[in-house]
Coordinates of all heavy atoms in Angstrom, one line a residue:
M1 N 27.5 -85.2 -151.5 CA 28.2 -86.0 -150.4 C 27.1 -86.8 -149.7 O 26.2 -86.2 -149.2 CB 29.0 -85.1 -149.5 CG 30.2 -85.8 -149.0 SD 31.4 -84.6 -148.3 CE 31.2 -84.9 -146.6
A2 N 27.4 -88.1 -149.6 CA 26.4 -88.9 -148.8 C 26.5 -88.7 -147.3 O 27.5 -88.3 -146.8 CB 26.7 -90.4 -149.1
A3 N 25.3 -88.9 -146.7 CA 25.3 -88.7 -145.3 C 26.2 -89.8 -144.6 O 26.3 -90.9 -145.1 CB 23.9 -88.8 -144.7
K4 N 26.8 -89.4 -143.5 CA 27.6 -90.4 -142.8 C 26.8 -91.5 -142.3 O 25.8 -91.3 -141.6 CB 28.3 -89.7 -141.7 CG 29.7 -89.2 -142.0 CD 30.5 -88.8 -140.8 CE 31.9 -88.2 -141.2 NZ 32.6 -87.7 -140.0
K5 N 27.3 -92.7 -142.5 CA 26.6 -93.9 -142.0 C 27.0 -94.1 -140.5 O 28.1 -93.8 -140.1 CB 27.0 -95.1 -142.8 CG 26.3 -95.3 -144.0 CD 26.6 -96.7 -144.6 CE 26.0 -96.9 -146.0 NZ 26.5 -98.0 -146.7
K6 N 26.0 -94.5 -139.8 CA 26.3 -94.8 -138.4 C 27.1 -96.0 -138.3 O 26.8 -97.0 -138.9 CB 25.0 -94.9 -137.6 CG 24.8 -93.9 -136.5 CD 23.6 -94.2 -135.6 CE 23.6 -93.2 -134.5 NZ 22.4 -93.4 -133.6
S7 N 28.1 -96.0 -137.4 CA 29.0 -97.2 -137.3 C 28.2 -98.4 -136.7 O 27.5 -98.2 -135.7 CB 30.2 -96.9 -136.4 OG 30.9 -98.1 -136.2
K8 N 28.4 -99.5 -137.3 CA 27.7 -100.7 -136.8 C 28.7 -101.6 -136.1 O 28.5 -102.8 -135.9 CB 27.1 -101.5 -138.0 CG 25.9 -100.8 -138.6 CD 24.6 -101.0 -137.8 CE 23.4 -100.6 -138.6 NZ 22.9 -99.3 -138.3
R9 N 29.9 -101.1 -135.8 CA 30.9 -101.9 -135.2 C 30.5 -102.3 -133.8 O 29.9 -101.5 -133.1 CB 32.3 -101.1 -135.1 CG 32.9 -101.0 -136.5 CD 34.2 -100.3 -136.3 NE 34.8 -100.0 -137.6 CZ 35.5 -98.9 -137.9 NH1 35.7 -97.9 -137.0 NH2 36.0 -98.7 -139.1
N10 N 31.0 -103.5 -133.5 CA 30.8 -104.0 -132.1 C 32.1 -104.0 -131.4 O 33.0 -104.7 -131.8 CB 30.2 -105.4 -132.2 CG 30.0 -106.1 -130.9 OD1 29.8 -105.4 -129.9 ND2 30.2 -107.4 -130.8
Y11 N 32.2 -103.2 -130.4 CA 33.5 -103.0 -129.7 C 33.5 -103.9 -128.4 O 32.7 -103.8 -127.5 CB 33.7 -101.6 -129.2 CG 34.1 -100.7 -130.4 CD1 33.1 -100.1 -131.2 CD2 35.4 -100.5 -130.7 CE1 33.5 -99.2 -132.2 CE2 35.8 -99.6 -131.7 CZ 34.8 -99.0 -132.5 OH 35.1 -98.2 -133.5
D12 N 34.5 -104.8 -128.3 CA 34.8 -105.4 -127.1 C 35.6 -104.4 -126.2 O 36.1 -103.4 -126.7 CB 35.8 -106.6 -127.3 CG 35.0 -107.8 -127.8 OD1 33.8 -107.9 -127.7 OD2 35.7 -108.7 -128.4
Q13 N 35.7 -104.7 -124.9 CA 36.5 -103.9 -124.1 C 37.6 -104.8 -123.5 O 37.4 -105.9 -123.1 CB 35.7 -103.3 -122.9 CG 34.7 -102.3 -123.4 CD 34.1 -101.5 -122.3 OE1 34.7 -101.3 -121.2 NE2 32.8 -101.1 -122.4
A14 N 38.8 -104.2 -123.5 CA 40.0 -105.0 -122.9 C 40.7 -104.0 -122.0 O 40.9 -102.8 -122.4 CB 40.9 -105.5 -124.0
E15 N 41.1 -104.5 -120.9 CA 41.8 -103.6 -120.0 C 43.3 -103.4 -120.4 O 44.0 -104.4 -120.7 CB 41.8 -104.2 -118.6 CG 42.4 -103.2 -117.5 CD 42.3 -103.8 -116.1 OE1 41.7 -104.9 -116.0 OE2 42.8 -103.1 -115.2
A16 N 43.7 -102.2 -120.6 CA 45.1 -101.9 -120.9 C 45.8 -101.3 -119.7 O 45.4 -100.2 -119.3 CB 45.1 -100.9 -122.1
Q17 N 46.8 -102.0 -119.2 CA 47.5 -101.5 -118.0 C 48.6 -100.6 -118.5 O 49.5 -101.0 -119.2 CB 48.1 -102.7 -117.2 CG 47.0 -103.6 -116.6 CD 46.5 -103.1 -115.3 OE1 46.8 -102.0 -114.9 NE2 45.7 -103.9 -114.7
P18 N 48.6 -99.4 -118.0 CA 49.8 -98.5 -118.3 C 51.0 -99.0 -117.5 O 50.9 -99.5 -116.4 CB 49.3 -97.1 -117.9 CG 48.3 -97.4 -116.8 CD 47.7 -98.7 -117.1
S19 N 52.2 -98.8 -118.1 CA 53.4 -99.1 -117.3 C 53.6 -98.0 -116.3 O 53.0 -96.9 -116.4 CB 54.6 -99.2 -118.3 OG 54.8 -97.9 -118.9
R20 N 54.4 -98.3 -115.3 CA 54.5 -97.4 -114.1 C 55.9 -97.2 -113.7 O 56.7 -98.2 -113.7 CB 53.7 -98.1 -113.0 CG 53.5 -97.2 -111.7 CD 52.7 -97.9 -110.7 NE 51.3 -98.2 -111.1 CZ 50.3 -97.3 -111.0 NH1 50.5 -96.2 -110.4 NH2 49.1 -97.6 -111.4
C21 N 56.3 -96.0 -113.4 CA 57.6 -95.7 -112.9 C 57.8 -96.4 -111.5 O 57.0 -96.2 -110.6 CB 57.8 -94.2 -112.8 SG 59.4 -93.7 -112.1
K22 N 59.0 -97.1 -111.3 CA 59.2 -97.7 -110.1 C 59.6 -96.7 -109.0 O 59.5 -96.9 -107.8 CB 60.4 -98.7 -110.2 CG 60.0 -100.0 -110.8 CD 61.1 -101.0 -110.8 CE 60.7 -102.4 -111.3 NZ 61.9 -103.3 -111.4
K23 N 60.2 -95.6 -109.4 CA 60.6 -94.6 -108.5 C 59.5 -93.7 -107.9 O 59.4 -93.5 -106.7 CB 61.7 -93.7 -109.1 CG 63.0 -94.4 -109.3 CD 64.1 -93.4 -109.3 CE 65.5 -94.1 -109.2 NZ 66.5 -93.5 -110.1
C24 N 58.6 -93.2 -108.8 CA 57.6 -92.3 -108.3 C 56.2 -92.7 -108.6 O 55.2 -92.0 -108.3 CB 57.8 -90.9 -109.0 SG 57.4 -90.8 -110.7
Q25 N 56.0 -93.9 -109.1 CA 54.7 -94.5 -109.4 C 53.9 -93.9 -110.5 O 52.7 -94.3 -110.8 CB 53.8 -94.6 -108.1 CG 54.5 -95.2 -106.9 CD 55.0 -96.6 -107.2 OE1 54.3 -97.4 -107.7 NE2 56.3 -96.9 -106.8
S26 N 54.5 -92.9 -111.1 CA 53.7 -92.2 -112.2 C 53.5 -93.1 -113.4 O 54.4 -93.9 -113.7 CB 54.5 -91.0 -112.6 OG 53.8 -90.4 -113.8
T27 N 52.4 -93.0 -114.1 CA 52.2 -93.7 -115.3 C 52.4 -92.8 -116.5 O 52.1 -93.2 -117.7 CB 50.8 -94.3 -115.4 OG1 49.8 -93.3 -115.2 CG2 50.6 -95.4 -114.3
Q28 N 52.7 -91.5 -116.2 CA 53.0 -90.6 -117.4 C 54.4 -90.9 -117.9 O 55.4 -90.9 -117.1 CB 52.9 -89.1 -116.8 CG 51.5 -88.8 -116.3 CD 50.4 -89.1 -117.3 OE1 50.4 -88.6 -118.4 NE2 49.4 -89.9 -116.9
R29 N 54.5 -91.0 -119.2 CA 55.8 -91.3 -119.8 C 55.9 -90.7 -121.2 O 54.9 -90.2 -121.8 CB 56.0 -92.8 -120.0 CG 54.9 -93.5 -120.8 CD 55.3 -94.9 -121.3 NE 54.2 -95.5 -122.1 CZ 54.0 -95.2 -123.4 NH1 54.8 -94.3 -124.0 NH2 53.0 -95.8 -124.0
T30 N 57.1 -90.6 -121.7 CA 57.3 -90.1 -123.0 C 56.9 -91.2 -124.0 O 56.7 -92.3 -123.6 CB 58.8 -89.8 -123.3 OG1 59.6 -91.0 -123.3 CG2 59.4 -88.8 -122.2
A31 N 56.8 -90.7 -125.3 CA 56.6 -91.7 -126.3 C 57.8 -92.7 -126.4 O 58.9 -92.3 -126.0 CB 56.5 -91.0 -127.7
Y32 N 57.6 -93.9 -126.8 CA 58.7 -94.8 -126.9 C 59.7 -94.3 -127.9 O 59.3 -93.7 -128.9 CB 58.2 -96.2 -127.3 CG 57.4 -96.9 -126.2 CD1 56.1 -97.3 -126.5 CD2 57.9 -97.0 -125.0 CE1 55.3 -97.9 -125.5 CE2 57.2 -97.6 -123.9 CZ 55.9 -98.1 -124.2 OH 55.2 -98.6 -123.2
F33 N 61.0 -94.6 -127.7 CA 62.0 -94.1 -128.6 C 63.0 -95.2 -128.8 O 63.1 -96.2 -128.1 CB 62.7 -92.8 -128.1 CG 63.3 -93.0 -126.7 CD1 64.6 -93.5 -126.5 CD2 62.6 -92.7 -125.5 CE1 65.2 -93.6 -125.3 CE2 63.1 -92.9 -124.3 CZ 64.4 -93.3 -124.2
G34 N 63.9 -95.0 -129.8 CA 64.9 -96.0 -130.1 C 64.2 -97.3 -130.7 O 63.0 -97.3 -131.0
S35 N 65.0 -98.3 -130.9 CA 64.5 -99.6 -131.4 C 64.0 -100.5 -130.3 O 64.7 -100.6 -129.3 CB 65.6 -100.3 -132.2 OG 66.1 -99.5 -133.2
P36 N 62.8 -101.1 -130.5 CA 62.4 -102.0 -129.5 C 63.3 -103.3 -129.6 O 63.9 -103.6 -130.6 CB 61.0 -102.3 -129.9 CG 60.9 -102.0 -131.3 CD 61.9 -100.9 -131.6
V37 N 63.4 -104.0 -128.5 CA 64.1 -105.3 -128.4 C 63.0 -106.3 -128.4 O 62.2 -106.3 -127.4 CB 65.1 -105.3 -127.3 CG1 65.7 -106.8 -127.2 CG2 66.2 -104.3 -127.4
I38 N 63.0 -107.2 -129.3 CA 61.9 -108.2 -129.4 C 62.5 -109.6 -129.4 O 63.4 -109.9 -130.2 CB 61.1 -108.0 -130.7 CG1 60.6 -106.5 -130.8 CG2 59.9 -109.0 -130.8 CD1 59.9 -106.2 -132.1
R39 N 62.0 -110.4 -128.5 CA 62.3 -111.8 -128.5 C 61.1 -112.6 -128.9 O 60.1 -112.6 -128.2 CB 62.8 -112.2 -127.1 CG 63.1 -113.7 -127.1 CD 63.7 -114.2 -125.7 NE 63.9 -115.6 -125.7 CZ 64.1 -116.3 -124.6 NH1 64.1 -115.8 -123.5 NH2 64.3 -117.6 -124.7
V40 N 61.2 -113.3 -130.0 CA 60.0 -114.1 -130.5 C 60.2 -115.5 -130.1 O 61.3 -116.1 -130.4 CB 59.8 -113.9 -132.0 CG1 58.7 -114.7 -132.5 CG2 59.6 -112.4 -132.4
F41 N 59.3 -116.1 -129.5 CA 59.3 -117.5 -129.2 C 58.7 -118.3 -130.3 O 57.8 -117.8 -131.0 CB 58.6 -117.8 -127.9 CG 59.2 -117.1 -126.7 CD1 58.8 -115.8 -126.4 CD2 60.2 -117.6 -126.0 CE1 59.3 -115.1 -125.3 CE2 60.8 -116.9 -124.9 CZ 60.4 -115.7 -124.6
D42 N 59.1 -119.6 -130.5 CA 58.5 -120.4 -131.5 C 57.4 -121.3 -131.0 O 56.9 -122.2 -131.7 CB 59.5 -121.1 -132.3 CG 60.2 -122.1 -131.5 OD1 60.0 -122.2 -130.3 OD2 61.0 -122.9 -132.1
Y43 N 57.0 -121.1 -129.8 CA 55.8 -121.7 -129.3 C 55.1 -120.9 -128.2 O 55.7 -119.9 -127.8 CB 56.1 -123.1 -128.7 CG 57.2 -123.1 -127.7 CD1 56.8 -123.1 -126.3 CD2 58.5 -123.2 -128.0 CE1 57.8 -123.1 -125.3 CE2 59.5 -123.3 -127.0 CZ 59.1 -123.2 -125.7 OH 60.0 -123.2 -124.7
V44 N 53.9 -121.2 -127.9 CA 53.2 -120.3 -127.0 C 53.7 -120.4 -125.6 O 53.9 -121.5 -125.0 CB 51.7 -120.7 -127.0 CG1 50.9 -119.9 -126.0 CG2 51.1 -120.6 -128.4
Q45 N 54.0 -119.3 -125.0 CA 54.5 -119.2 -123.6 C 53.3 -118.8 -122.7 O 52.3 -118.2 -123.2 CB 55.5 -118.1 -123.5 CG 56.7 -118.2 -124.4 CD 57.7 -119.3 -123.8 OE1 57.9 -119.3 -122.7 NE2 58.1 -120.1 -124.7
K46 N 53.3 -119.2 -121.5 CA 52.3 -118.9 -120.5 C 52.8 -117.9 -119.5 O 53.8 -118.2 -118.9 CB 51.7 -120.1 -119.8 CG 51.0 -121.0 -120.8 CD 49.5 -120.8 -120.6 CE 48.7 -121.9 -121.4 NZ 47.4 -121.3 -121.8
R47 N 52.1 -116.9 -119.3 CA 52.4 -116.0 -118.1 C 51.8 -116.7 -116.9 O 51.0 -117.6 -116.9 CB 51.7 -114.6 -118.3 CG 52.1 -113.9 -119.5 CD 52.2 -112.4 -119.3 NE 53.1 -112.1 -118.3 CZ 53.2 -111.0 -117.6 NH1 52.3 -110.1 -117.8 NH2 54.1 -110.8 -116.7
P48 N 52.3 -116.3 -115.7 CA 51.8 -116.9 -114.4 C 50.3 -116.8 -114.3 O 49.7 -117.7 -113.7 CB 52.5 -116.0 -113.3 CG 53.8 -115.6 -114.0 CD 53.4 -115.3 -115.4
D49 N 49.7 -115.8 -114.8 CA 48.2 -115.7 -114.7 C 47.5 -116.5 -115.8 O 46.3 -116.5 -115.9 CB 47.8 -114.2 -114.8 CG 48.0 -113.6 -116.1 OD1 48.5 -114.3 -117.1 OD2 47.7 -112.4 -116.3
G50 N 48.3 -117.2 -116.6 CA 47.6 -118.1 -117.6 C 47.5 -117.5 -119.0 O 47.1 -118.2 -119.9
T51 N 47.8 -116.2 -119.2 CA 47.6 -115.7 -120.5 C 48.7 -116.1 -121.4 O 49.9 -116.2 -121.0 CB 47.5 -114.2 -120.5 OG1 48.6 -113.6 -119.8 CG2 46.2 -113.7 -119.8
D52 N 48.4 -116.3 -122.7 CA 49.4 -116.7 -123.7 C 50.2 -115.5 -124.2 O 49.6 -114.5 -124.4 CB 48.7 -117.4 -124.8 CG 48.0 -118.7 -124.4 OD1 48.4 -119.3 -123.4 OD2 47.2 -119.2 -125.2
F53 N 51.4 -115.8 -124.5 CA 52.2 -114.8 -125.3 C 53.2 -115.5 -126.2 O 53.5 -116.7 -126.0 CB 52.9 -113.8 -124.4 CG 54.0 -114.3 -123.6 CD1 55.3 -114.2 -124.0 CD2 53.7 -114.9 -122.4 CE1 56.4 -114.7 -123.2 CE2 54.8 -115.4 -121.6 CZ 56.1 -115.3 -122.0
T54 N 53.6 -114.9 -127.3 CA 54.5 -115.4 -128.2 C 55.8 -114.6 -128.3 O 56.7 -115.0 -129.0 CB 53.9 -115.6 -129.6 OG1 53.5 -114.3 -130.1 CG2 52.7 -116.5 -129.6
R55 N 55.7 -113.4 -127.8 CA 56.9 -112.5 -127.9 C 57.0 -111.6 -126.7 O 56.0 -111.2 -126.2 CB 56.9 -111.7 -129.2 CG 55.6 -111.0 -129.5 CD 55.8 -110.1 -130.7 NE 56.0 -110.8 -131.9 CZ 56.3 -110.3 -133.1 NH1 56.5 -109.0 -133.2 NH2 56.5 -111.1 -134.1
L56 N 58.2 -111.3 -126.3 CA 58.5 -110.4 -125.3 C 59.1 -109.1 -126.0 O 60.1 -109.2 -126.6 CB 59.5 -111.0 -124.3 CG 60.1 -110.0 -123.2 CD1 59.0 -109.3 -122.4 CD2 61.0 -110.8 -122.3
V57 N 58.4 -108.0 -125.8 CA 58.9 -106.8 -126.4 C 59.3 -105.8 -125.3 O 58.6 -105.5 -124.4 CB 57.7 -106.2 -127.3 CG1 58.2 -104.9 -128.0 CG2 57.2 -107.2 -128.3
K58 N 60.5 -105.2 -125.5 CA 61.1 -104.2 -124.6 C 61.2 -102.9 -125.3 O 61.8 -102.9 -126.4 CB 62.4 -104.7 -124.1 CG 62.4 -105.9 -123.2 CD 63.8 -106.5 -123.0 CE 64.6 -105.5 -122.1 NZ 65.9 -106.2 -121.7
R59 N 60.6 -101.9 -124.8 CA 60.6 -100.6 -125.4 C 61.2 -99.5 -124.4 O 60.9 -99.6 -123.2 CB 59.2 -100.1 -125.8 CG 58.6 -101.0 -126.9 CD 57.2 -100.5 -127.2 NE 56.6 -101.3 -128.3 CZ 55.8 -102.4 -128.1 NH1 55.5 -102.8 -126.9 NH2 55.3 -103.0 -129.1
R60 N 62.0 -98.6 -125.0 CA 62.6 -97.6 -124.1 C 61.6 -96.4 -123.9 O 61.0 -95.9 -124.9 CB 63.8 -97.0 -124.8 CG 65.0 -98.0 -124.9 CD 66.0 -97.4 -125.8 NE 67.2 -98.3 -125.9 CZ 67.4 -99.2 -126.9 NH1 66.5 -99.3 -127.8 NH2 68.5 -99.9 -126.9
T61 N 61.5 -95.9 -122.7 CA 60.7 -94.7 -122.4 C 61.4 -94.0 -121.2 O 62.4 -94.4 -120.7 CB 59.3 -95.1 -122.2 OG1 58.5 -93.9 -122.1 CG2 59.1 -95.9 -120.9
K62 N 60.7 -92.9 -120.9 CA 61.2 -92.1 -119.8 C 60.1 -91.5 -119.0 O 59.1 -91.1 -119.6 CB 62.1 -90.9 -120.4 CG 62.7 -90.0 -119.3 CD 63.3 -88.8 -120.1 CE 63.9 -87.8 -119.1 NZ 64.4 -86.6 -119.9
C63 N 60.2 -91.6 -117.7 CA 59.1 -91.1 -116.8 C 59.0 -89.5 -117.0 O 60.0 -88.8 -117.0 CB 59.4 -91.4 -115.4 SG 58.2 -90.7 -114.2
R64 N 57.8 -89.1 -117.2 CA 57.6 -87.7 -117.4 C 57.6 -86.9 -116.1 O 57.8 -85.7 -116.1 CB 56.2 -87.4 -118.0 CG 56.2 -87.4 -119.5 CD 55.0 -86.7 -120.1 NE 54.7 -87.0 -121.5 CZ 55.5 -86.5 -122.5 NH1 56.5 -85.7 -122.2 NH2 55.2 -86.8 -123.7
D65 N 57.4 -87.6 -115.0 CA 57.4 -86.9 -113.7 C 58.7 -86.8 -113.1 O 59.1 -85.7 -112.6 CB 56.4 -87.6 -112.8 CG 54.9 -87.3 -113.1 OD1 54.7 -86.3 -114.0 OD2 54.0 -87.9 -112.6
C66 N 59.5 -87.8 -113.0 CA 60.8 -87.8 -112.3 C 62.0 -87.9 -113.3 O 63.1 -87.8 -112.9 CB 60.9 -88.8 -111.2 SG 61.2 -90.5 -111.8
G67 N 61.7 -88.3 -114.6 CA 62.8 -88.3 -115.5 C 63.6 -89.6 -115.6 O 64.6 -89.7 -116.3
Q68 N 63.2 -90.6 -114.8 CA 63.9 -91.9 -114.8 C 63.6 -92.6 -116.2 O 62.5 -92.7 -116.6 CB 63.3 -92.8 -113.7 CG 63.9 -94.2 -113.7 CD 65.4 -94.2 -113.4 OE1 65.9 -93.6 -112.5 NE2 66.1 -95.0 -114.2
Y69 N 64.7 -93.1 -116.8 CA 64.6 -93.9 -118.0 C 64.2 -95.3 -117.6 O 64.6 -95.8 -116.5 CB 65.9 -93.9 -118.7 CG 66.2 -92.6 -119.4 CD1 67.0 -91.7 -118.8 CD2 65.7 -92.4 -120.7 CE1 67.3 -90.5 -119.4 CE2 66.0 -91.2 -121.3 CZ 66.8 -90.2 -120.7 OH 67.0 -89.0 -121.3
R70 N 63.5 -96.0 -118.4 CA 63.2 -97.4 -118.1 C 62.8 -98.2 -119.4 O 62.6 -97.6 -120.4 CB 62.0 -97.5 -117.1 CG 60.6 -97.2 -117.7 CD 59.5 -97.5 -116.8 NE 58.2 -97.2 -117.3 CZ 57.6 -96.0 -117.2 NH1 58.1 -95.0 -116.5 NH2 56.4 -95.9 -117.8
W71 N 62.9 -99.5 -119.3 CA 62.4 -100.4 -120.3 C 60.9 -100.8 -120.0 O 60.7 -101.2 -118.8 CB 63.2 -101.7 -120.4 CG 64.6 -101.5 -121.0 CD1 65.7 -101.4 -120.2 CD2 65.0 -101.6 -122.3 NE1 66.8 -101.4 -121.1 CE2 66.4 -101.4 -122.4 CE3 64.2 -101.6 -123.5 CZ2 67.1 -101.4 -123.6 CZ3 65.0 -101.6 -124.7 CH2 66.4 -101.5 -124.7
D72 N 60.0 -100.7 -120.9 CA 58.7 -101.2 -120.7 C 58.6 -102.6 -121.3 O 58.9 -102.7 -122.5 CB 57.6 -100.3 -121.4 CG 57.1 -99.2 -120.4 OD1 57.6 -99.1 -119.3 OD2 56.2 -98.5 -120.9
L73 N 58.3 -103.5 -120.5 CA 58.2 -104.9 -121.0 C 56.7 -105.3 -121.3 O 55.9 -105.0 -120.5 CB 58.7 -105.9 -120.0 CG 60.2 -106.2 -119.9 CD1 61.0 -104.9 -119.8 CD2 60.5 -107.1 -118.8
S74 N 56.5 -105.8 -122.5 CA 55.1 -106.3 -122.8 C 55.1 -107.6 -123.4 O 56.0 -108.0 -124.2 CB 54.4 -105.3 -123.7 OG 55.0 -105.1 -124.9
Y75 N 54.2 -108.4 -122.9 CA 54.1 -109.8 -123.4 C 53.0 -109.9 -124.4 O 51.8 -109.8 -124.0 CB 53.9 -110.7 -122.2 CG 55.0 -110.7 -121.2 CD1 55.1 -109.7 -120.2 CD2 56.0 -111.6 -121.2 CE1 56.1 -109.6 -119.3 CE2 57.1 -111.6 -120.3 CZ 57.1 -110.6 -119.4 OH 58.2 -110.5 -118.5
E76 N 53.4 -110.1 -125.6 CA 52.4 -109.9 -126.7 C 52.1 -111.2 -127.4 O 52.9 -112.1 -127.4 CB 52.9 -108.9 -127.7 CG 53.2 -107.5 -127.0 CD 53.7 -106.5 -128.0 OE1 53.7 -106.7 -129.2 OE2 53.9 -105.4 -127.5
F77 N 51.0 -111.3 -128.0 CA 50.6 -112.5 -128.7 C 50.3 -112.2 -130.1 O 49.6 -111.3 -130.5 CB 49.3 -113.1 -128.1 CG 48.9 -114.4 -128.7 CD1 49.2 -115.6 -128.1 CD2 48.1 -114.4 -129.9 CE1 48.9 -116.8 -128.7 CE2 47.8 -115.6 -130.4 CZ 48.1 -116.8 -129.8
D78 N 51.1 -112.8 -131.0 CA 50.9 -112.6 -132.5 C 50.8 -114.0 -133.1 O 51.8 -114.8 -133.1 CB 52.1 -111.8 -133.0 CG 51.9 -111.5 -134.5 OD1 51.1 -112.1 -135.2 OD2 52.6 -110.5 -134.9
S79 N 49.7 -114.3 -133.7 CA 49.5 -115.6 -134.2 C 50.4 -115.9 -135.4 O 50.7 -117.1 -135.7 CB 48.0 -115.8 -134.7 OG 47.7 -114.8 -135.7
K80 N 51.0 -114.9 -136.0 CA 51.9 -115.1 -137.1 C 53.2 -115.7 -136.6 O 54.0 -116.2 -137.4 CB 52.2 -113.8 -137.8 CG 51.0 -113.3 -138.6 CD 51.3 -112.1 -139.5 CE 51.7 -110.9 -138.8 NZ 50.6 -110.3 -137.9
D81 N 53.5 -115.6 -135.3 CA 54.7 -116.2 -134.7 C 54.6 -117.7 -134.6 O 55.7 -118.3 -134.4 CB 54.9 -115.6 -133.3 CG 55.2 -114.1 -133.3 OD1 55.6 -113.6 -134.3 OD2 55.1 -113.5 -132.2
L82 N 53.5 -118.2 -134.7 CA 53.3 -119.6 -134.3 C 53.5 -120.6 -135.5 O 52.9 -120.5 -136.5 CB 51.9 -119.9 -133.8 CG 51.5 -119.1 -132.6 CD1 50.1 -119.3 -132.2 CD2 52.5 -119.4 -131.4
P83 N 54.5 -121.5 -135.3 CA 54.7 -122.6 -136.3 C 53.9 -123.8 -136.0 O 54.3 -124.9 -136.1 CB 56.2 -122.8 -136.2 CG 56.5 -122.6 -134.8 CD 55.5 -121.6 -134.3
L84 N 52.6 -123.6 -135.6 CA 51.7 -124.7 -135.4 C 51.9 -125.6 -134.3 O 51.5 -126.8 -134.3 CB 51.6 -125.6 -136.7 CG 51.5 -124.7 -138.0 CD1 51.7 -125.6 -139.2 CD2 50.1 -124.1 -138.0
R85 N 52.7 -125.2 -133.3 CA 52.8 -126.0 -132.1 C 51.9 -125.6 -131.0 O 51.5 -124.4 -130.9 CB 54.3 -125.9 -131.6 CG 55.3 -126.6 -132.5 CD 56.7 -126.4 -132.0 NE 56.9 -127.0 -130.7 CZ 58.1 -127.0 -130.2 NH1 59.1 -126.4 -130.7 NH2 58.3 -127.6 -129.0
P86 N 51.3 -126.6 -130.3 CA 50.3 -126.2 -129.3 C 51.0 -125.5 -128.1 O 52.2 -125.5 -127.9 CB 49.8 -127.6 -128.9 CG 50.9 -128.5 -129.1 CD 51.6 -128.0 -130.3
A87 N 50.1 -125.0 -127.2 CA 50.6 -124.3 -126.0 C 51.4 -125.3 -125.2 O 51.1 -126.5 -125.0 CB 49.4 -123.8 -125.2
T88 N 52.5 -124.8 -124.7 CA 53.4 -125.6 -123.9 C 53.7 -124.8 -122.6 O 54.0 -123.7 -122.6 CB 54.7 -125.8 -124.6 OG1 54.5 -126.3 -125.9 CG2 55.6 -126.7 -123.8
K89 N 53.5 -125.5 -121.5 CA 53.8 -124.9 -120.2 C 55.3 -124.8 -120.0 O 56.1 -125.6 -120.4 CB 53.2 -125.8 -119.1 CG 51.7 -125.7 -119.0 CD 51.2 -126.7 -117.9 CE 49.7 -126.7 -117.9 NZ 49.1 -127.8 -117.3
P90 N 55.7 -123.7 -119.3 CA 57.1 -123.5 -119.0 C 57.6 -124.7 -118.3 O 57.0 -125.2 -117.3 CB 57.1 -122.3 -118.1 CG 55.8 -121.6 -118.4 CD 54.8 -122.7 -118.7
G91 N 58.7 -125.2 -118.7 CA 59.3 -126.4 -118.0 C 58.8 -127.7 -118.5 O 59.4 -128.7 -118.1
F92 N 57.8 -127.7 -119.3 CA 57.2 -129.0 -119.8 C 58.1 -129.5 -120.9 O 58.4 -128.8 -121.8 CB 55.8 -128.7 -120.3 CG 55.2 -130.0 -120.8 CD1 54.7 -131.0 -120.0 CD2 55.0 -130.1 -122.2 CE1 54.1 -132.1 -120.6 CE2 54.5 -131.2 -122.8 CZ 54.0 -132.2 -122.0
I93 N 58.5 -130.7 -120.7 CA 59.3 -131.4 -121.8 C 58.5 -132.5 -122.5 O 58.1 -133.4 -121.8 CB 60.6 -132.0 -121.2 CG1 61.5 -130.8 -120.6 CG2 61.4 -132.7 -122.3 CD1 62.5 -131.3 -119.6
D94 N 58.3 -132.3 -123.8 CA 57.5 -133.2 -124.5 C 58.4 -134.4 -125.0 O 59.1 -134.3 -126.0 CB 56.9 -132.5 -125.7 CG 56.0 -133.4 -126.5 OD1 55.7 -134.6 -126.0 OD2 55.5 -133.0 -127.6
S95 N 58.4 -135.4 -124.2 CA 59.2 -136.6 -124.5 C 58.4 -137.7 -125.2 O 59.0 -138.7 -125.7 CB 59.9 -137.2 -123.2 OG 58.9 -137.5 -122.3
A96 N 57.1 -137.5 -125.3 CA 56.3 -138.5 -125.9 C 56.6 -138.7 -127.4 O 56.5 -139.8 -127.9 CB 54.8 -138.1 -125.7
N97 N 57.0 -137.7 -128.1 CA 57.2 -137.8 -129.5 C 58.7 -137.9 -129.9 O 59.1 -137.8 -131.0 CB 56.6 -136.6 -130.2 CG 55.1 -136.6 -130.0 OD1 54.5 -137.6 -130.0 ND2 54.6 -135.4 -129.8
S98 N 59.6 -138.0 -128.9 CA 61.0 -138.0 -129.2 C 61.6 -139.4 -129.2 O 60.9 -140.3 -128.8 CB 61.8 -137.1 -128.2 OG 61.6 -137.6 -126.9
Ligands
ZN101 ZN1 59.1 -91.4 -112.1

């Protein structure tokens, strides 16, 4: 058996915000269950902070501390969703090509 090679991967760091219970502020939750509800947009959406997303995903979970059920909403970016249209600001109407 060959000796294990040392990983040469280069890791970026990205902040992952845990979802939080509105009732007790806990971030402890059960695993997601049931079917997620996914809304895929056909062009890039902008969050108020400027980050792009192409789909809104809602997943069911339950607070581990107080038992409250909730939907976790995540704004995700998947380049496979894009049909080649550029980023569009919410409310922006492209009348130049119509
Ligand atoms: Zn809670």
Side-chain angles (χ1 to χ4, degrees):
M1 214 162 104
K4 265 192 182 174
K5 277 187 186 171
K6 245 189 174 178
S7 173
K8 293 278 198 260
R9 286 180 188 146
N10 177 29
Y11 285 88
D12 282 343
Q13 290 189 34
E15 187 175 356
Q17 293 280 4
S19 66
R20 187 178 295 272
C21 177
K22 281 186 175 175
K23 285 204 169 143
C24 74
Q25 308 305 315
S26 174
T27 58
Q28 300 304 305
R29 60 165 178 78
T30 67
Y32 291 125
F33 57 88
S35 301
V37 174
I38 305 173
R39 180 177 175 193
V40 178
F41 299 91
D42 63 354
Y43 55 92
V44 176
Q45 305 282 318
K46 288 263 188 207
R47 299 216 61 200
D49 68 0
T51 53
D52 293 341
F53 68 97
T54 59
R55 51 175 64 193
L56 171 57
V57 183
K58 294 168 68 173
R59 297 179 175 92
R60 295 171 176 91
T61 188
K62 181 184 175 186
C63 178
R64 271 202 195 285
D65 284 348
C66 77
Q68 175 65 48
Y69 289 93
R70 71 172 183 269
W71 289 96
D72 270 5
L73 275 56
S74 57
Y75 297 85
E76 304 181 1
F77 185 94
D78 186 337
S79 59
K80 293 190 293 296
D81 293 340
L82 300 177
L84 310 170
R85 288 175 65 179
T88 306
K89 284 176 187 162
F92 177 75
I93 298 164
D94 184 7
S95 56
N97 298 320
S98 62

